[in-house]
Amino acid sequence: MGKSIAINAGSSTLKFKLFEMPNEKLLALGAIERIGLGNSDVEIKYGDGKKYTDTLDIKNHDEAIQLLLDKLISLKILESFDEITGVGHRVVAGGEYFTDSVIIDDKTLQEIESLREFAPLHEPANVLGIKAFKKILPDVISVAVFDTSFHTTLPEVNYMYSLPYEYYEKHKARKYGAHGTSYRYVSQRAADMLGKPLEDLKLVVLHLGAGASIDAIKDGKSYDTSMGFSPVAGITMATRSGDVDPSVLQYVMDKENITNFDDMIDILNHKSGLIGISGVSADMREVEEAQTENHRAHLARDMFMNRVVRYIGSYVAEMGGIDALVFTAGIGENSITLRQELTDQLSYFGIKVDSEKNNIRGVERDISTNDATVKTLLIPTDEELMIVRDIERLRK
Ligand code: AMP
């Protein structure tokens, strides 16, 4: 039996989950935050409710990974590095090139590096993580799992923007989507719960976390998705705007003397969405708490719900029906009231949620009423499990 580790490296963060494989037992999980920013926080949860935390200066991803591996030994989660038989890395952008996860060799690493322009905020950090692990564990198989691969099945009609065609031909400017690993996991679980082949189902999956998106799944494949060329498109998110008319950006840049488009993109990514509208918080829990007394918090939540409903409606129309609606990720798994209010608005589709079954957080469950013609499912996502499963699949 081996142990596989799933890694999600951001510019200043490193999150991990360690599993015993192939029995998929979760052994440890945790995160290192503020890498390179001073006072880095380390947290590792393991065993029966044990937790290790520390704050120290970690200069870069190499140091973070060495520290993490050393801690896995000193906390006796591992006896030696030899027990690690696979490392899987979440990679944000795979472009049109990576239609599935891959074993990382020099050529694939070069390809991943060449996709930097598609995710300038994330791809460099993903590459740092890959290289750091390769340095410390050179003989262990490492696999890249792309957020975009699941969406490489989108039909042309859905991935193209109505821009001059040459921008696609010359530069591959198109919709790529994100959260594909989550959709892959959740859609298969939905098919298992419904006892039908995924290929026979029309699903709308709501991945509602800090980053949030919606996916239409038809014939077992991603058919349309709300994120676009980058994750900023689609529905209102914690700090991202979702869809906006580009002309309003030009207008605001003029009025606010914003001369660099990068600064505007930064506002769209980090200062918009729930935090931008409410002025209270990017966290849905705090927005929900504030909404009775604060108009802007109320508006932010209403806008979030409205955009979700809008996308569900258009995806049902595009697919010509829906068999099941699926809630996942932080907000989808935990906000009981949001699930109830949202599904109440969708009763004309035959969607009906049983308020007692819905009164639960983070547990896999069919929450529909018995007479609902469209099922509503709550399925906690597990992207890291999907990553380590991919290691097993690809090593064969
Ligand atoms: P994720 O990105 O999937 O980890 O989701 C994180 C987000 O889930 C947080 O920022 C919160 O906005 C949201 N969340 C977590 N718990 C709750 C809850 N009980 N009610 C509403 N939102 C929640």
Side-chain angles (χ1 to χ4, degrees):
M1 229 167 340
K3 287 169 187 163
S4 284
I5 189 161
I7 294 293
N8 184 353
S11 55
S12 63
T13 58
L14 185 92
K15 294 187 191 146
F16 82 96
K17 274 192 188 177
L18 178 74
F19 292 87
E20 188 172 81
M21 297 302 280
N23 62 6
E24 301 185 347
K25 183 179 171 205
L26 181 62
L27 300 174
L29 76 165
I32 301 180
E33 283 170 357
R34 301 185 49 82
I35 298 169
L37 302 174
N39 291 328
S40 317
D41 292 315
V42 184
E43 182 180 282
I44 300 175
K45 293 181 185 167
Y46 62 107
D48 272 341
K50 287 191 210 139
K51 187 158 122 178
Y52 164 86
T53 55
D54 200 358
T55 302
L56 62 167
D57 275 348
I58 301 173
K59 286 195 202 66
N60 53 41
H61 285 70
D62 280 359
E63 268 189 40
I65 287 163
Q66 188 67 57
L67 177 106
L68 168 65
L69 291 172
D70 290 344
K71 281 290 157 213
L72 292 178
I73 302 272
S74 63
L75 296 170
K76 299 194 174 7
I77 301 165
L78 290 178
E79 274 174 28
S80 87
F81 293 164
D82 296 343
E83 288 174 57
I84 300 178
T85 51
V87 183
H89 296 270
R90 176 195 180 209
V91 179
V92 169
E96 287 187 328
Y97 187 84
F98 291 107
T99 57
D100 192 3
S101 308
V102 286
I103 294 176
I104 303 170
D105 56 20
D106 290 346
K107 182 169 170 285
T108 49
L109 188 56
Q110 257 176 24
E111 286 293 344
I112 293 169
E113 286 188 288
S114 76
L115 294 167
R116 175 184 289 247
E117 281 177 308
F118 290 92
L121 300 175
H122 297 103
E123 207 89 338
N126 299 155
V127 169
L128 281 178
I130 293 171
K131 287 185 171 167
F133 264 99
K134 281 255 176 216
K135 212 190 280 177
I136 302 168
L137 302 173
D139 300 326
V140 175
I141 180 177
S142 70
V143 164
V145 178
F146 302 90
D147 267 20
T148 48
S149 298
F150 186 64
H151 302 301
T152 52
T153 56
L154 292 188
E156 196 179 22
V157 67
N158 286 338
Y159 71 67
M160 286 297 293
Y161 290 118
S162 310
L163 291 169
Y165 192 76
E166 67 194 83
Y167 300 156
Y168 171 68
E169 284 184 309
K170 287 200 290 194
H171 311 300
K172 300 284 179 213
R174 52 161 282 182
K175 179 192 278 197
Y176 291 100
H179 293 141
T181 312
S182 173
Y183 290 126
R184 223 163 16 110
Y185 175 81
V186 167
S187 58
Q188 192 50 59
R189 284 301 308 146
D192 294 347
M193 284 170 80
L194 297 170
K196 290 191 178 155
L198 183 56
E199 293 69 33
D200 295 349
L201 292 168
K202 289 175 181 148
L203 303 176
V204 175
V205 182
L206 313 177
H207 180 110
L208 308 179
S213 71
I214 302 190
D215 204 36
I217 297 172
K218 190 177 144 191
D219 303 325
K221 294 183 271 197
S222 181
Y223 182 73
D224 205 351
T225 200
S226 64
M227 284 179 167
F229 175 77
S230 84
V232 83
I235 61 175
T236 301
M237 299 174 226
T239 64
R240 294 191 193 117
S241 62
D243 302 333
V244 287
D245 175 350
S247 300
V248 80
L249 306 179
Q250 187 187 34
Y251 174 77
V252 168
M253 285 176 74
D254 243 19
K255 295 284 173 197
E256 295 277 325
N257 285 322
I258 301 168
T259 50
N260 186 342
F261 196 66
D262 285 350
D263 293 337
M264 195 68 233
I265 290 283
D266 187 58
I267 293 167
L268 292 176
N269 271 299
H270 299 115
K271 297 188 177 150
S272 302
L274 295 179
I275 184 68
I277 298 291
S278 73
V280 170
S281 175
D283 189 317
M284 184 58 93
R285 282 167 289 204
E286 288 168 18
V287 172
E288 289 190 336
E289 266 164 38
Q291 65 166 336
T292 39
E293 306 203 334
N294 181 316
H295 168 70
R296 280 174 52 186
H298 190 78
L299 176 64
R301 188 168 180 277
D302 272 359
M303 287 175 67
F304 180 88
M305 300 237 294
N306 166 275
R307 302 315 189 256
V308 174
V309 168
R310 188 183 289 175
Y311 266 97
I312 295 170
S314 60
Y315 287 169
V316 173
E318 268 191 271
M319 292 195 293
I322 172 171
D323 297 301
L325 180 71
V326 188
F327 284 91
T328 195
I331 301 170
E333 290 166 27
N334 294 301
S335 181
I336 295 164
T337 50
L338 190 132
R339 281 198 305 264
Q340 187 71 55
E341 287 170 42
L342 209 108
T343 46
D344 285 349
Q345 286 188 51
L346 299 165
S347 56
Y348 57 88
F349 284 137
I351 291 170
K352 265 201 229 172
V353 156
D354 180 318
S355 53
E356 271 182 33
K357 292 183 195 162
N358 183 43
N359 192 15
I360 197 157
R361 297 185 207 279
V363 173
E364 193 174 273
R365 182 183 270 191
D366 179 343
I367 56 172
S368 342
T369 58
N370 294 336
D371 63 339
T373 52
V374 172
K375 295 285 185 196
T376 304
L377 307 176
L378 165 55
I379 305 181
T381 193
D382 199 337
E383 288 158 288
E384 293 82 5
L385 181 57
M386 209 65 218
I387 290 174
V388 293
R389 281 183 185 167
D390 279 355
I391 301 173
E392 297 302 302
R393 176 167 63 89
L394 292 172
R395 80 158 84 243
K396 282 173 187 149

